[in-house]
Amino acid sequence: METFTLVGPTPMCHRPAFFILLLAALLSLGAGSAAAQVVSIDGLYTTGVKNNGNLLKSNRQDSHYVVTDSSAGSTYTGSAYTVTTPASGWMAEPSDAQWIIAPNGAKNGKDTTRPAATYDYTLTFDMPAGAQLSSVSITGTGAADDTATIYVNGTLVSGQTLSSWSSANSFALNSGNAAFVSGANSITFRVNNSGGGATGLMITGFSGTAVVPEVGAFLPVATAVTLCGLGLIRRRRRGSTAVNAPR
């Protein structure tokens, strides 16, 4: 009986050149800054604006900020409303934001008074795909009546508060004080209206950045793996032809 020995070219992934290419690819990924870029985080809307950043009219729903909880009851939950006339003593509205208030099932933004309670204004946004969570940096400026604490994904951010309604103060959220995640994230401003009466929230100058890998950073590895795969497929096809050759 005749026997056949399968002889084919050495697959690409068995050749020294493949390992050189793969090593170079991995080194390029480890270069850090050379394989990454800083991008803006979308969805960080200031209060009282449309999707395009233009100001809403007065007493309109601000769907970006949803009052997800209130110790005053469910009547005061739902999309916030822009205020028709800011309460006495509130800081003036800047060009990129407006005061907003929890709904009340009746006058909404036409009335700035609410019961003594806490009101959770929550903004949800998506983290850029592939973002390095340790690089996330979000900053803004805000005012609240009476005051507000800040939560990221339901966890209190230590040391970051809004302490006045007559003037704004800045806040900063990052991996050092907040637990960001891939995909959907939430930022909640818990406004405390301790004595009842006027209450509201205003966030301005809201923006954020994160570091993500450049698209081309993975091309060397993809190329090396593809060449290896093509080499193995080619070898199998030649081997199959040799076994089935006529005697």
Side-chain angles (χ1 to χ4, degrees):
M1 173 183 285
E2 295 183 56
T3 59
F4 295 88
T5 302
L6 301 182
V7 178
T10 303
M12 179 65 189
C13 52
H14 290 172
R15 299 176 183 176
F18 169 78
F19 292 102
I20 294 174
L21 177 60
L22 183 59
L23 178 61
L26 294 174
L27 288 175
S28 70
L29 286 178
S33 60
Q37 58 181 332
V38 177
V39 299
S40 297
I41 298 175
D42 295 330
L44 299 176
Y45 294 98
T46 58
T47 52
V49 300
K50 304 175 183 177
N51 288 341
N52 61 7
N54 293 336
L55 297 177
L56 291 163
K57 294 181 179 181
S58 63
N59 196 30
R60 294 293 191 273
Q61 281 189 335
D62 182 350
S63 59
H64 303 130
Y65 286 83
V66 178
V67 180
T68 52
D69 188 42
S70 171
S71 59
S74 59
T75 298
Y76 304 96
T77 60
S79 294
Y81 279 79
T82 55
V83 169
T84 300
T85 303
S88 175
W90 282 3
M91 68 167 287
E93 295 176 332
S95 61
D96 70 334
Q98 301 181 81
W99 281 94
I100 59 174
I101 193 169
N104 68 355
K107 295 181 179 180
N108 296 314
K110 294 180 180 180
D111 179 12
T112 58
T113 63
R114 296 291 185 272
T118 56
Y119 301 86
D120 289 358
Y121 295 78
T122 299
L123 171 75
T124 302
F125 67 95
D126 287 327
M127 192 65 66
Q132 298 174 11
L133 299 180
S134 61
S135 71
V136 175
S137 175
I138 295 175
T139 58
T141 302
D145 189 355
D146 299 348
T147 60
T149 50
I150 304 175
Y151 293 74
V152 170
N153 295 321
T155 301
L156 177 66
V157 179
S158 178
Q160 303 297 309
T161 62
L162 306 180
S163 57
S164 175
W165 60 82
S166 60
S167 61
N169 63 267
S170 60
F171 58 89
L173 311 174
N174 51 59
S175 62
N177 60 16
F180 292 104
V181 298
S182 300
N185 288 258
S186 66
I187 299 176
T188 298
F189 299 90
R190 177 167 290 176
V191 176
N192 181 29
N193 189 26
S194 59
T199 184
L201 172 71
M202 183 167 64
I203 303 298
T204 179
F206 211 9
S207 64
T209 60
V211 173
V212 301
E214 291 182 355
V215 175
F218 295 105
L219 289 180
V221 172
T223 300
V225 173
T226 300
L227 288 174
C228 175
L230 289 175
L232 289 173
I233 292 172
R234 185 179 179 186
R235 189 187 187 202
R236 288 192 185 118
R237 286 179 175 174
R238 290 190 175 184
S240 176
T241 300
V243 169
N244 296 322
R247 302 179 63 179

